[in-house]
Structures are given as structure tokens and as C-alpha cells.
Amino acid sequence: MLTKVYGSAVFGVDATTITIEVHVDRGVGYHLVGLPDNAIKESNYRIAAALQNNGYKIPGKKITINMAPADLRKEGSAYDLTLAMAILAATGQITPLYSFDDYIIMGELSLDGGLQPIRGALPIALKAKEEGFKHFILPNKNVDEAAIVDGIDVYGVDSIKEVINFFDKNVPLSKTEVDLKSAFYQHLEMSEFDFADVKGQESIKRCMEIAAAGGHNIILIGPPGSGKTMLAKRLGFVPHFTHNVDISKTQTLPISNKDCNGWRRGA
């Protein structure tokens, strides 16, 4: 029996849809082709343990798995759930009530069947929408990232058992929806970084406030651990670079509201 389930590969900021084809025949063997890396080749051990711990198994038959397009290098462990669902359907252990053609399924399996987060949920969701997929199933830890894409239903799950029950027993999954506008304003009001976290450093905080108010450039120079990156994040940006210097070779200059281009300058 031949079964196809769909996943996605991320290269930079772009995603490419990957078709997992599973063919089951007489004999014994497990053959995974399509340029998988070592993390994917090791997936059969994770999948076998996860299925066994949830009442299923990889049967002793000849199983050939192709990751198409076969000439494209695949990396990472995010295909575990995709491969597992394809194996279950191809070996007749589940009878899918819904067509896999409408779903992108991704997730890394733990040995107990739990799901670990994946990378690139946003570009995967964007590509899935572009190619006409209607649903995206992925780990709960990534669901908010993918759910910001309109036009595709996103479902977060914690284990492979939830996915099996959905396709085989029609146990519904919870659709995740994100209100971007409210999330944006909530982030403004409850920022992850706040100047209140900085104890002391009154001169540099005053300097940065003036630089921000006037739209001036600012350079932070100091020894490791002096708080350059911490201060920069709380101003609202990540610095392009930081420069560590020997503090014994620097001198502190007076800082005023009229001259606030920096807080240390080399001697």
C-alpha cells in the first residue's frame, strides 16, 4: 500500500513542501531515501519507541520511504511525526477519516510520543497557504508562530496520540487563532525588556533616553559584563556589535544633556 503525507523543509527564510511516500511490500527491511541527513535516518528509533509506547508498532515488513523531491537535501528531526503517520496509514494500523492531501504535518517525537518544537513554523505556514493546503498540525510550542498566517487552520498538539485519534477516531483538535492587533498592543504595554531591570547606571540611562528622544546615534563601549547588550535591548533594539575594551585604559568623561554621544571614550 502506498501512502503520501506532506511536510516541509526550511532553507533560510523560505520553505519547500516535502512529500513523504511510504510503500509497504513483502519482506523485511526499512529503507529511507531522498537525501535525508543523520537526524532523519535516526528517526526510525524514535518512531519505533513512540509508537510502541502508544499501542502501535513498525511492523516487520519491507518499508520503503521516499522524501520527495529526492534530489533536495533534508535536514533535522521535524519529520518524525510526518513519517510516523505515513507508516501507520500505509501499514493499515489506522484508517484516515480525512485526506492527508489537505494537511501539513510536522513535529519531532520523544520516545514516549510527546512532541518537541520545530524550527521555521512561520515560513512553513506561509508556503502551505501558498500551495493550497488547508490545515497545519504541529507542536503546541510553535502554534502561536504559525497561527498568525491567515487562510490556513493551525492545530497545536502535545503528542502523536492526539494526531492518531484525530485521523483514526475523529477526536477533534483545537484550532488556534491569534489576534495580531491585541497581541501587538499587549506587547507594547508588557514589554519583555524594561529599563526598570537596570539597577544603577543612571548616567547611561539618561544618555540613552536623550539619544532616543532626539534620534541620535549612540555607541556603547566597555568591558564584558558591564551591561552594554542589556541596555541596548531595553532601548528597543539589538546592537549591531559591541566593543570590549580594557577599562584600565579608558577615562570617563562628563555627560551633559548637550553632549551625550557616548558614555566612555578611549583615552
Side-chain angles (χ1 to χ4, degrees), residues 148-166:
I148 66 175
V149 178
D150 292 327
I152 183 170
D153 296 335
V154 177
Y155 304 95
V157 292
D158 290 315
S159 70
I160 188 175
K161 190 66 174 179
E162 295 179 44
V163 185
I164 293 173
N165 289 341
F166 170 70

Side-chain angles (χ1 to χ4, degrees), residues 21-180:
E21 303 174 323
V22 177
H23 176 70
V24 180
D25 202 352
R26 297 178 182 176
V28 177
Y30 185 95
H31 308 285
L32 180 59
V33 297
L35 292 183
D37 70 352
N38 286 332
I40 301 176
K41 291 177 181 178
E42 294 171 350
S43 66
N44 64 310
Y45 300 106
R46 294 190 295 272
I47 293 171
L51 293 182
Q52 184 174 353
N53 287 322
N54 285 273
Y56 299 89
K57 63 180 180 179
I58 296 181
K61 297 183 178 181
K62 183 179 179 181
I63 300 176
T64 303
I65 303 174
N66 180 43
M67 305 182 74
D71 61 346
L72 185 66
R73 183 75 176 175
K74 289 82 177 180
E75 301 177 347
S77 54
Y79 302 98
D80 289 358
L81 182 59
T82 325
L83 293 167
M85 294 305 299
I87 291 171
L88 289 174
T91 57
Q93 297 182 73
I94 65 171
T95 303
L97 301 176
Y98 306 98
S99 173
F100 285 127
D101 293 342
D102 294 329
Y103 290 82
I104 290 288
I105 303 175
M106 297 291 288
E108 176 186 336
L109 284 173
S110 298
L111 299 186
D112 62 355
L115 292 177
Q116 300 295 325
I118 64 173
R119 298 179 183 177
L122 179 57
I124 291 174
L126 290 170
K127 187 65 174 181
K129 176 187 175 182
E130 178 185 328
E131 295 196 351
F133 288 94
K134 299 177 181 178
H135 313 282
F136 184 13
I137 298 176
L138 75 167
N140 255 325
K141 294 180 180 179
N142 300 108
V143 72
D144 289 339
E145 179 183 351
I148 66 175
V149 178
D150 292 327
I152 183 170
D153 296 335
V154 177
Y155 304 95
V157 292
D158 290 315
S159 70
I160 188 175
K161 190 66 174 179
E162 295 179 44
V163 185
I164 293 173
N165 289 341
F166 170 70
F167 281 103
D168 192 43
K169 301 177 182 178
N170 200 26
V171 178
L173 298 176
S174 298
K175 178 183 173 181
T176 301
E177 296 182 355
V178 175
D179 186 342
L180 286 179

Side-chain angles (χ1 to χ4, degrees), residues 221-234:
I221 303 174
S226 60
K228 301 183 296 298
T229 302
M230 181 181 184
L231 285 161
K233 287 181 177 179
R234 278 145 186 81

